[in-house]
Amino acid sequence: MPDPATPRPRPGRPARLNRERIVDAAVAAGNLDTLTMRALAARLDVSHGALYRWVSNRDQLFDLVSDVMVERILPTGGPPAGSPADSPDGARDADWRPWLARVAWSMHDQFLAVPGYATRLSRPHRHNSDALGRLRQEVVTAFTNAGVAPELAEQSWYIFITTVVGWLAAQETPSDLPFNHGAPRFDLFLDTLLRGLPAREPGAGCIPPGYSASNSYRSS
């Protein structure tokens, strides 16, 4: 006679879905921007209803992919910490440029490995992913640790994310305009962008000459 304290197995097929399986199937689908929920369920060999219990629509699927993306993008250890404001020389010189260059190169590699991701991210829509909020917070913290005022740190984040995502989205849908000669170089784009950051009030000065944010900061 079976022990009544022993839990009985649930009827039906065992659970087959988890976050990693769903994200892997979505990434392998070919183009995240055009992937339908029914097509994703078919790739996973589950019913549409079973998938719905994990992600009920494309926005939730996109957020799930974003969670994994940001985990892969952000360097471990967080942004660089600056010197205290009351240090003897008064400096708060957190070395944010190599750190932010690493983040940008990781975005380049991870986003372009998932066709359609940068394109969808670049479109105006509500982003619910907590992970994207974490990315924003770490970039803003990198600027404030270097002594950038909070408002300008937020502006610097906005310039960084919209510019990088826009560049990556453009690579997914390359233009045939006559001035578009040669393959775009992300190292040149990124060097130019980082030279202009952080955001400053008009007339407040510029980055000293000789600064370079070359792709020597690219993570392997």
Side-chain angles (χ1 to χ4, degrees):
M1 181 175 180
D3 184 353
T6 303
R8 297 180 180 179
R10 294 181 178 181
R13 298 166 66 182
R16 300 174 58 193
L17 289 180
N18 55 44
R19 187 186 75 156
E20 287 69 27
R21 277 204 67 205
I22 294 171
V23 171
D24 288 346
V27 167
N31 192 317
L32 188 65
D33 191 42
T34 58
L35 178 64
T36 66
M37 299 298 290
R38 290 194 179 278
L40 178 59
R43 292 186 66 89
L44 290 163
D45 192 26
V46 298
S47 69
H48 188 228
L51 179 60
Y52 185 86
R53 286 192 286 271
W54 282 84
V55 284
S56 60
N57 54 49
R58 281 162 49 85
D59 288 339
Q60 289 187 6
L61 173 63
F62 187 77
D63 287 344
L64 198 66
V65 174
S66 294
D67 290 343
V68 175
M69 284 282 191
V70 172
E71 288 175 4
R72 296 173 179 174
I73 287 168
L74 285 174
T76 58
S83 303
D86 58 355
S87 58
D89 58 2
R92 296 179 65 189
D93 54 356
D95 197 5
W96 60 267
R97 287 188 178 86
W99 181 86
L100 194 58
R102 286 181 60 196
V103 171
W105 273 110
S106 293
M107 290 170 63
H108 172 277
D109 295 343
Q110 295 293 335
F111 287 12
L112 293 185
V114 184
Y117 182 82
T119 297
R120 181 170 174 79
L121 188 62
S122 69
R123 292 178 183 155
H125 69 284
R126 185 175 180 178
H127 302 292
N128 297 319
S129 174
D130 291 338
L132 291 173
R134 180 187 168 204
L135 177 60
R136 180 197 67 81
Q137 184 59 50
E138 292 216 7
V139 173
V140 169
T141 299
F143 286 121
T144 56
N145 283 353
V148 178
E151 180 183 356
L152 291 178
E154 290 284 357
Q155 292 293 318
S156 300
W157 150 256
Y158 181 82
I159 292 167
F160 171 77
I161 192 65
T162 56
T163 307
V164 172
V165 170
W167 192 96
L168 296 174
Q171 309 320 301
E172 294 186 333
T173 55
S175 171
D176 292 328
L177 293 174
F179 56 76
N180 212 13
H181 297 296
R185 287 178 52 184
F186 189 70
D187 60 330
L188 295 180
F189 160 79
L190 182 59
D191 184 80
T192 303
L193 173 62
L194 295 186
R195 283 174 184 271
L197 290 174
R200 294 169 296 280
E201 296 293 347
C206 59
I207 298 296
Y211 160 72
S212 175
S214 70
N215 64 347
S216 62
Y217 296 128
R218 179 174 186 174
S219 58
S220 58

